[in-house]
Amino acid sequence: MTVASQKMSLEEYLNFDDGTDTRYELDNGELIVSPPESDLNRRIGSFLLTLFFQLGIPTYRLRIKTEIVVLGARATTRFPDVMVLSEELATALEGSSRSTIMMDMPPPLLVVEVVSPHQENRDYRYKRSEYAARGIAEYWIVDPIQQRVTVLEWVEGLYEEVVYTGDSAIASPVLGVLELTAERLLQGR
């Protein structure tokens, strides 16, 4: 749901406070209310966070729902479900008053989006091009609706994709071959 009828700049958005706990994204200058996540989507995000930690990624390099500024026709921000940060990015965020990855900061190493009903275009089309423009090395689209996991790897300016379903073991260009199947991930267990 769009809130403001007038387009906002990134600076206006970053300074916006309506006095509530409502979370918003800025989508091409429009303030959009972020709807609540389903229990399955939250479970998948928590499952991945735990898995990445068990793989040896330190907690200070793992994020859930940290905001990232991306390129759009106008100012745009996103809240990926899970991110793996580089050391450099984790250091850049240290001590910030707002957990927002700005354009002058390095991109995350890996971004995961769990598809919500009626949000397929955002995750498959818009975010794909926005994350590509940021040069994010790896982008996962975890789709419980279509029962597939799409892993996109940044190669020479474009994303190349591999789709995993069922008992296919997921391979991550950043993390390597994982002892994780698409089916297990899509259940969040």
Side-chain angles (χ1 to χ4, degrees):
M1 172 176 84
T2 303
V3 174
S5 59
Q6 217 172 9
K7 302 276 185 178
M8 295 177 89
S9 70
L10 180 61
E11 185 178 346
E12 289 169 328
Y13 166 74
L14 293 174
N15 290 313
F16 177 77
D17 183 359
D18 65 357
T20 71
D21 289 335
T22 304
R23 196 180 65 187
Y24 301 95
E25 280 187 342
L26 189 63
D27 192 347
N28 286 315
E30 292 183 25
L31 194 60
I32 308 288
V33 174
S34 294
E37 298 272 352
S38 72
D39 182 61
L40 177 59
N41 284 29
R42 291 271 183 192
R43 197 170 69 225
I44 290 170
S46 297
F47 175 80
L48 278 172
L49 192 69
T50 303
L51 175 75
F52 293 160
F53 177 72
Q54 290 171 345
L55 291 173
I57 300 169
T59 55
Y60 70 90
R61 290 186 40 217
L62 297 172
R63 296 291 190 282
I64 290 182
K65 297 294 182 185
T66 291
E67 185 175 39
I68 182 169
V69 178
V70 295
L71 295 173
R74 294 185 63 109
T76 301
T77 64
R78 299 295 184 201
F79 283 91
D81 292 293
V82 179
M83 281 193 275
V84 176
L85 311 182
S86 65
E87 281 291 333
E88 185 181 7
L89 178 54
T91 300
L93 280 172
E94 208 169 278
S96 358
S97 60
R98 183 178 176 130
S99 186
T100 301
I101 300 170
M102 303 300 287
M103 290 300 292
D104 62 348
M105 295 177 174
L109 295 175
L110 185 143
V111 168
V112 179
E113 293 284 1
V114 182
V115 178
S116 297
H118 313 294
Q119 298 297 318
E120 295 87 348
N121 274 344
R122 288 180 47 161
D123 293 326
Y124 281 100
R125 288 188 67 168
Y126 305 123
K127 291 179 184 180
R128 179 181 179 142
S129 62
E130 292 163 354
Y131 294 158
R134 279 300 304 260
I136 296 172
E138 188 170 334
Y139 170 36
W140 291 18
I141 304 169
V142 179
D143 191 338
I145 301 156
Q146 297 290 322
Q147 288 291 293
R148 66 182 180 197
V149 177
T150 304
V151 174
L152 299 118
E153 177 184 12
W154 181 251
V155 178
E156 297 178 10
L158 296 171
Y159 277 131
E160 292 183 2
E161 72 177 52
V162 177
V163 177
Y164 299 92
T165 59
D167 62 359
S168 303
I170 297 171
S172 163
V174 168
L175 304 174
V177 176
L178 306 173
E179 291 185 30
L180 174 66
T181 64
E183 181 178 38
R184 184 171 163 221
L185 175 55
L186 290 162
Q187 292 175 5
R189 299 174 186 215

